[in-house]
Structures are given as structure tokens and as C-alpha cells.
Amino acid sequence: MANPFLRRATEYVREDESFLSIVSPAPLTTFLATSRNKDDMFEVPVRIIGAPGSGKTMLATLAEFRMVETILKDETNSTNRTLANALAQAGFLKNGKPKVAAVRVPMESEYRDFWELPYDPNVKTKLAFWLVQARAMLGLIRNLTANKTRGLDAIEFIPRADYEAHLEQIGGLSAAGIRDRALAVQRAIYSVGAGLRAPKLEDLPIEATAPYAPFDVISRISIEWNGEIIEMSPLVMLDDVHALHHDQLEAMFGMLSHREMKFGRWMMMRLDALSPGAVMRSPASQPTHNRATGRDFVDIQMQQGNEKKDASRRQFRTMARDMAKRYLPMVEGLRNRNATDIDRLVPSEPPKLSPGQIKELEGRVAKDQSKLKIGATRRKEIDDIVDDFIGRTKSYDDGPEVALAMKRILLHRYAVRIARLTPSLFEEIDPDPKSPLKADADVAHGARVHLHHEYGRPLHYGIDDVCDASNENAEVFLQFAGALVANIETRAIRNTTLALPARDQQSILIEKAKSIMDSWAFPHAQRVRDMVDAIGRDCREGSLLPNAPLGAGANAIAILEEEMEAQSFDDELGSVLKYAIANGAITIERNYGQGGKLWALIELTGTAGLVYGLTFNRGGFLPQKIDYLRKIAGLANA
């Protein structure tokens, strides 16, 4: 089989059992099980929002009833037990039985075609919405009978109270009646949208215009399960609703958000389906139709805001390792050598400078000490501070070059601090700074950034860095991991050592990151590249200041929150920023507190961080104005 890391599982795995053997349950536990709105997810509309490749389709496919039933048929399988546990945590199972009957309906481009029909917007919306409902009912019935454990006569649909009068429009409550009615509706509405010429409104087939609202009518589904009758909540997962026209999506959202509807409905969408204000997380930005987040609908972000990024980063590392664990055995060359441990293949062993480079670095430190006119006593104190830290640190990356680079940083920090002192009447050699010098993890990381740019010492290596470079995006992780695995597979063919040294890892990751950025083809992609390039260069320059004032360095710019709140983002800048965030070029955190002020933090993602050699640590930023963004995006004169 070709490198499985380079293709989506939902695209190349056709058999359910094969799909289940490699799919990770982590999206269920990461995004659904921990949601504070978990109890409402099957009763109110849910918008599941994520960047391309964040795992929306994989999550929806795993949650379909036919998959759930396949998992529960054989819980002696350890993989199935793990998946069943995740489904239970996410609310799809209760006491080992299905609690939800879900179906995925892909929102293909043909639904958007309805918006081009020469009818009133309300008519066009109803045609598309009724087609969605018909296909949802057909898909649900197929899911319930897919594993040949029950026939149509063993399925019963239960209506909402006081809705008995509406049963005729959906074909009754039997599975056969509902199927036949849905087929008739689908056939009639499809003929309208697929025809070369749209018929006049009065000539539309009666099956296409007669009332049809199974989502309003049906509240529960009853089936036979292992000798007993159980009831489940129905759920439709509309995948890729961003393919709809924006106005069509708004109208569809309005129809799906009827408060009394008991049919669960999820809308899986990309971030760029939202308005710029919503993507920028502007406080005043709310969906239309007088719906309130949390009460009338629920949003589940498949990437967390910065306020939760430490936790989400840890969760993603777990999910990514689980994906690698399932994919690596499918690479024949590695399976034959029993090499399927990603941590061993992509080790975190720190790189080392050569003895000649270390000697040169020692000379640079001594030269800076002389240039800054720092005496031997103060130098010894700085050496002791760093040596004490190196002796206490739990980091494995504590080689002599790191210690030397840290000492160099502290020499420059000392020079900056005494330069700010009020001149004394008496000459004082190496005066004490007002704030004492200290060596910590930030200084150590800043030293590694300096070593990377000055000596080519690898900065990003090991599977944790591969995960962090992926910005909590499953597809991006698979692209990075796939490039590494391809190189490792070549080593296996040549019968050489499989584990990739840090220098090789860094080189492969940078090349792949550049390829990802070059392949951006979304709206405003060139403006986004220009913006990312400017921020990356400025952050690199700020990170390489001799005294490392930002510690680990910068990977973001920040604009005062009050200045951001004054922006409407209805202009081209808002559109550029929206697509940059939606497609994984930058992230944004609003109301980030630092220095007694609130900032809007615009951070480069790990992909750009690799290309420009920036830290993955969060919090280091360069203060800027909103005009800076307009300028670097090429909009200064727009």
C-alpha cells in the first residue's frame, strides 16, 4: 500500500472494518466528550467548525449508526473496545447500547445549484432543505439495515406529541412508508435541480412542493437490539455545509434551528463559512435569526482558542500519536522490520555542535564580554547562574553550546540593565543591576533559537514538535509525518539505521512546511503569504536580539484590544484575516492580558514557525498597530 499518511482514511478505505482499524477515537473524546454543551448536542443545532483537515468528516463517519453497530458487534476486539468507550463518552452509547442513530449527509455542490434557480429565495431554500431531509431519511434507514441484523419491519419511527396529523406527509411511521415517500421527494426535487432548464414554479412536480418535514415530526427511533426493543435519538450530520451559498447557509441554519425540533442536527463546516467578525471572535459578532450561542445552538471548535491551547496541545499530541500508531503498521517496509514506534523513529535526541563550533562560540562569548566591558568577577557570576540552572534543569537539551549561548544572552542583558542606571558620582566597576539576572527555561529556549540561526543547530525535532507544528490539525500532522515516514521507509529499503537524526528531521519538516505554504490556493492566498512572510521576518529579527528580551522569542504580533474593537472587519482586511485563520496560516486570541493591557494576539501557526525558525512557545509577541496589518497584506492604499 502507498504511504497511508499521505491520503485521508475517509477517501481510500472502503470497508468499515478496515476504516475502524486505523481511525482514531481521539476527536470524539477531544472535541465532544469534554464539551460543556455535551448534554445539548443531540437536541439543539450544533455547528462543528474546523479548518480543512481537522477531522470533521472522520468524526461524522465514525459516528454513523452502521459504524457504531459494527463496533458493538465484537467488543472482544481491543480496538473496538477503545472506540466504544470513546463513543460512550461522547454520548452515542448508554449502558453499552446505541443511544443515538446518526447519519452523515455530504453537502455536495449540487445543493448550491438550487440557489441559482429562478425562484423566490424561500422556495429555493425549501427545495434544498426538503432534499436534505429526504436523503437523511434514506441514509438513516440504510444505516439501520446496513449490517443485516434487522429488516425494515423491525424499525419504527416515533413522532413528536401532537404531530400525528403530519404523519401522512412523511409516509407514516413505518420504515417502508418513510423510505418510499423520501424516494419520491428525492426523485422529484433532484429532477428540478439537475435539469438543463428550470421549470416554471407552477409546473414543479407535486412531490417537490407538497409539505415534507420529517425533522419536525420524528423525535425517536425504535429498533430491536439483541432481543430487546430500544429507543434512540435521530441525528443528521450535514458535512461540508460551507459548500452552500452564504445566504443559502444562513437560510438553512434558520430552518434547522426551530426550537421545538427533536431531530438532532449537526452542521460540519469550515471556519471560512463564518463572517470575518465571527472568525476574528469580535465580541459583537453573533449569528442571525435572533439565535444565541449556548441556548439556541452550540458551537464546537475543532481547534481551541489560545486560552485553552496548552491543554489542546497535549490532547492533540495524544491523538496524533494514536493516529501514527494505527498508520505505521500499514507501511510494509517498516512492518517487516517491526519498526512501528513513532517516538523511536522520530527521536527527540538533542543535536550537538562540533568541537570546532563550540570553540568558536566560546570565542564569541569572550569577544562580547570584552566589547561590553564586563569584568571577570561579573562574568563568573553569570557563569555560575547558568551552570546552576543547567545542573537543575530537567531538559535533555542541556549541552555545552546551550550553556554558552545562555551566558552570552545574560552578558547582553546585564549590559542593557546597567545602561539604564542613574550615573553615580563615583566610578563603579560592574555595578549591580536593579533587577537581578536569572537563568530559566525561556532563556535556555532563546539560546537554542540563537544557535539555530547562527550555527544551523536544529530547533524543531521529535514527535512532540511535529505535533506542535501541525496546529492541532490532523491532516497537517499527517502531511508532516508522511514526509518523515517516506524518508524512513527509504532508509528501511537501503537497510540503514531507521531513526532520523534531528538535522534530517528539521530539513524534511522545513521543506514540507514550505510546500504547504506554496500550495495555498484559497481566496487572498497571496496576500496571506505576504502577511505571514512579513510577520515571520519581523518575529525572527526580534527573537535574535542579543539580549533575547522576549526569552524564547516571538511568533506573533499583537494589537491593542481597543484598536481591534474599533474595526468592523467588513472590509478586505477582514476577509484576508478570515481566510488566513480558516486555512491554518495564523491564529487569533482576543483579550490577551500582558503588561497591564489587553491585546489581540495574532500568532503564526507551526507551519510558518518551521519556515522562519521561530519558537513554538506561546506568548512572545511584537506590539503593532492595525495599519501594520494593512501594509503587510498589501492593503495600505486599498
Side-chain angles (χ1 to χ4, degrees), residues 298-432:
V298 170
D299 275 352
I300 296 176
Q301 299 277 350
M302 293 193 74
Q303 59 276 312
Q304 302 291 352
N306 283 45
E307 69 278 1
K308 295 181 180 179
K309 277 189 174 178
D310 287 340
S312 67
R313 181 173 274 185
R314 290 192 296 271
Q315 289 174 334
F316 184 78
R317 287 177 178 180
T318 300
M319 181 173 82
R321 277 185 167 84
D322 186 57
M323 292 169 64
K325 175 184 175 183
R326 296 168 186 272
Y327 276 56
L328 278 171
M330 300 173 66
V331 181
E332 185 177 0
L334 303 183
R335 184 177 66 246
N336 292 342
R337 293 185 60 169
N338 197 29
T340 56
D341 185 340
I342 193 67
D343 285 280
R344 290 184 180 276
L345 296 172
V346 186
S348 302
E349 182 181 354
K352 292 180 172 61
L353 293 188
S354 68
Q357 289 176 312
I358 292 177
K359 187 174 182 179
E360 181 190 346
L361 180 56
E362 288 174 341
R364 286 192 182 187
V365 177
K367 185 177 179 180
D368 284 1
Q369 177 189 350
S370 175
K371 179 181 177 182
L372 298 171
K373 299 179 180 179
I374 297 174
T377 302
R378 183 64 64 181
R379 169 63 192 273
K380 184 178 185 309
E381 180 184 324
I382 288 174
D383 287 352
D384 290 344
I385 291 172
V386 172
D387 292 342
D388 177 66
F389 169 79
I390 291 294
R392 291 182 291 104
T393 183
K394 295 181 179 179
S395 171
Y396 292 105
D397 191 5
D398 57 359
E401 64 268 40
V402 176
L404 282 167
M406 290 179 70
K407 292 170 184 177
R408 190 181 181 197
I409 289 172
L410 291 189
L411 285 171
H412 283 274
R413 286 192 175 186
Y414 173 76
V416 169
R417 291 180 187 183
I418 64 171
R420 297 172 182 163
L421 294 177
T422 304
S424 173
L425 294 175
F426 307 97
E427 185 177 357
E428 188 177 357
I429 300 174
D430 290 344
D432 290 330

Side-chain angles (χ1 to χ4, degrees), residues 34 37 93 136 278 359 454 608:
T34 59
N37 301 111
L93 305 181
K359 187 174 182 179
E454 294 177 14

Side-chain angles (χ1 to χ4, degrees), residues 40-172:
D40 301 321
M41 292 190 305
F42 303 109
E43 295 184 4
V44 300
V46 177
R47 300 192 306 179
I48 298 183
I49 304 166
S54 55
K56 301 182 295 297
T57 297
M58 184 173 70
L59 187 155
T61 303
L62 179 59
E64 283 198 287
F65 181 84
R66 63 186 173 85
M67 289 291 189
V68 173
E69 188 170 35
T70 299
I71 291 167
L72 295 180
K73 278 198 305 185
D74 181 16
E75 289 194 75
T76 61
N77 182 297
S78 61
T79 298
N80 285 358
R81 286 199 303 273
T82 301
L83 292 172
N85 182 55
L87 286 165
Q89 291 182 54
F92 286 88
L93 305 181
K94 185 176 182 180
N95 299 326
K97 305 169 195 171
K99 180 183 174 184
V100 176
V103 59
R104 170 181 167 263
V105 177
M107 299 299 290
E108 295 146 337
S109 59
E110 65 176 314
Y111 292 100
R112 186 179 181 125
D113 293 341
F114 282 93
W115 201 249
E116 308 303 324
L117 293 173
Y119 307 138
D120 181 82
N122 187 47
V123 173
K124 295 187 290 187
T125 299
K126 282 187 175 181
L127 285 172
F129 186 50
W130 289 351
L131 179 59
V132 165
Q133 291 183 89
R135 288 180 171 170
M137 298 312 299
L138 292 171
L140 196 52
I141 291 171
R142 281 195 300 271
N143 266 268
L144 292 167
T145 58
N147 292 305
K148 297 181 171 55
T149 54
R150 69 189 61 81
L152 290 178
D153 55 352
I155 303 168
E156 182 180 354
F157 291 87
I158 302 172
R160 282 171 50 191
D162 303 324
Y163 258 73
E164 291 81 359
H166 298 75
L167 297 183
E168 184 178 349
Q169 59 159 280
I170 68 168

